[in-house]
Amino acid sequence: MGAQIRVYRQKITSTTSMRKIFKAMELIATSRIGKARARVAASLPYANAITRAVSAVASQSEIDHPLVTEPEQIRRAAVLVITSDRGLAGSYSASVLKQAEGLAELLHEEGKEVKTFLMGRKAQAYFDFRNRPYGRVWTGNTDAPEFATAQEVSSALLADFATAYEEGGVDEIHVVYTRFKSMVTQEPTVVRLLPLEVVEEQAASESDLLPLYEFEPETEQVLDALLPRYIESRIFAAMLQAAASELAARQRAMKSAGDNATDLIKKYTRLRNTARQAEITQELSEIVAGADALNAS
C-alpha cells in the first residue's frame, strides 16, 4: 500500500508541474493574441487598397501581361505552405499540412508538377521525415511575422514565376495558410496568387465601383511595379492571419491541457486517498487481530 501511495504522490507532483507550464503558455498566448489580431486589422486597409488598384489596372486595360494572363498550359505549380515553428498548438499545423496534401493531390490529378515552398519548422520536419523534396524553407518567428520575410518569400516565388518551365520555373503560385475568423474558428485556406485572382480580404458592397486611373507611363510598367507589392502584401497578410490563428490554437490547446491536468490531479488524489484509507484499515485490522490473539492467550 505504501508503494502505491508514493506512486500516486509522484504522479500528482509531476502533473501539477505540467499544469503550471500549460497555464503559463496559455497566459503567454492570451497576452499575444490581442497584438496579433491588431496587426491583422491594421494590414487590411493597405491590402484592400492595393487590391483595388491592381483590380482596376487589370480590368481596365487590355494587355498581355504574364502576371495577369492565364497561360495556355500550366505544367508546374508552386505551393507555399505556412505552418508554425513550435508545437503545443493542437491540430493547427496538421490541418494546414492536410490541406496542402489535398491541394497537391488535386494538382497532380490535373497533370501538374508541384514545387513546394515551406514556412515553419513543423512543415520542414513533415517533409524531411517523409524524404519529400521542397524548394526553400523559412523558419523563425511564425507567431510574430516580419515584413522582410514576406518580401524575401515574394521575391523567391516571383523569380520562379518569371523563369521558364524548362529551367525549373512555375506557371502558377498557391498559398496554403490558416485564416483567422475568430478565437474559436480558424480555417485552413488555399489561395491562388498568380496568375492573378484578385480577392479582397473584406468583400466590398455591390455599389462599390473600381476607381478609374490614368496611367503614366505605360500600363505594363505600372503592373511591373505594382504587382510585386501586391504579392508581398498578400503573403504578409497570410502570415499575419496564420500567426493569429497559431496563437489562438495554442491558447485553446493549453487551456484544454490544463483542464485535463486538473482532472488527472483530482483522479490521482482520490486514488491516493483510497489507498491511504485501505492502508489504515489494514493496520487497524492487524492491531485488532493482535489484541484478540493476546486476549486469547
Side-chain angles (χ1 to χ4, degrees):
M1 288 296 179
Q4 272 189 334
I5 294 175
R6 285 194 298 271
V7 169
Y8 290 136
R9 283 175 178 171
Q10 292 172 356
K11 288 184 176 181
I12 291 171
T13 302
S14 61
T15 307
T16 302
S17 299
M18 291 175 63
R19 183 176 62 177
K20 291 179 181 178
I21 296 174
F22 297 149
K23 185 63 176 178
M25 295 191 68
E26 178 190 351
L27 293 175
I28 292 172
T30 303
S31 66
R32 299 181 64 184
I33 187 65
K35 183 178 180 180
R37 295 178 66 180
R39 294 185 72 189
V40 171
S43 70
L44 288 179
Y46 175 79
N48 286 341
I50 197 170
T51 295
R52 289 175 60 80
V54 174
S55 301
V57 174
S59 61
Q60 296 169 16
S61 306
E62 295 182 0
I63 58 173
D64 185 17
H65 195 281
L67 296 180
V68 297
T69 303
E70 189 80 21
E72 294 183 0
Q73 183 182 8
I74 298 177
R75 292 169 289 182
R76 183 182 293 123
V79 178
L80 172 64
V81 184
I82 302 177
T83 63
S84 66
D85 282 326
R86 298 183 294 122
L88 300 178
S91 61
Y92 167 75
S93 293
S95 298
V96 178
L97 291 168
K98 182 179 179 181
Q99 190 80 5
E101 291 282 18
L103 174 62
E105 183 178 349
L106 177 62
L107 293 174
H108 284 307
E109 290 176 357
E110 294 175 353
K112 303 173 185 177
E113 300 177 26
V114 177
K115 185 175 182 179
T116 307
F117 295 83
L118 307 177
M119 184 175 293
R121 294 189 180 93
K122 287 297 179 180
Q124 183 181 18
Y126 179 87
F127 277 77
D128 286 342
F129 181 76
R130 291 161 178 78
N131 294 320
R132 295 184 183 178
Y134 50 86
R136 291 187 59 182
V137 59
W138 294 268
T139 59
N141 298 326
T142 57
D143 55 355
E146 300 176 353
F147 186 68
T149 305
Q151 290 178 311
E152 185 179 345
V153 174
S154 175
S155 298
L157 293 176
L158 287 175
D160 269 21
F161 189 75
T163 303
Y165 168 80
E166 292 75 14
E167 299 176 6
V170 299
D171 300 312
E172 65 179 1
I173 298 174
H174 299 264
V175 178
V176 185
Y177 69 101
T178 305
R179 181 184 295 273
F180 180 86
K181 303 183 75 174
S182 68
M183 287 296 296
V184 179
T185 306
Q186 298 87 42
E187 183 179 273
T189 305
V190 177
V191 174
R192 193 182 81 162
L193 293 184
L194 292 176
L196 187 62
E197 285 185 347
V198 179
V199 179
E200 292 196 18
E201 292 296 326
Q202 292 178 344
S205 63
E206 295 181 0
S207 60
D208 289 343
L209 298 177
L210 291 175
L212 297 175
Y213 292 104
E214 293 182 1
F215 306 111
E216 184 178 331
E218 298 298 326
T219 307
E220 289 83 356
Q221 294 174 286
V222 174
L223 283 176
D224 287 339
L226 194 58
L227 278 169
R229 289 179 172 81
Y230 168 77
I231 298 301
E232 289 173 359
S233 69
R234 292 298 300 274
I235 291 177
F236 188 53
M239 292 168 61
L240 291 176
Q241 294 265 356
S245 300
E246 177 185 346
L247 290 171
R250 181 168 292 114
Q251 187 267 346
R252 192 168 59 250
M254 291 300 96
K255 185 179 185 307
S256 177
D259 293 343
N260 290 337
T262 300
D263 293 339
L264 278 176
I265 291 172
K266 291 180 180 178
K267 175 183 176 181
Y268 292 143
T269 300
R270 185 169 59 251
L271 291 173
R272 183 198 62 186
N273 293 339
T274 301
R276 182 185 298 168
Q277 290 172 357
E279 184 180 25
I280 293 172
T281 301
Q282 182 177 355
E283 290 176 353
L284 289 174
S285 299
E286 291 175 353
I287 292 173
V288 171
D292 291 343
L294 289 175
N295 292 330
S297 65

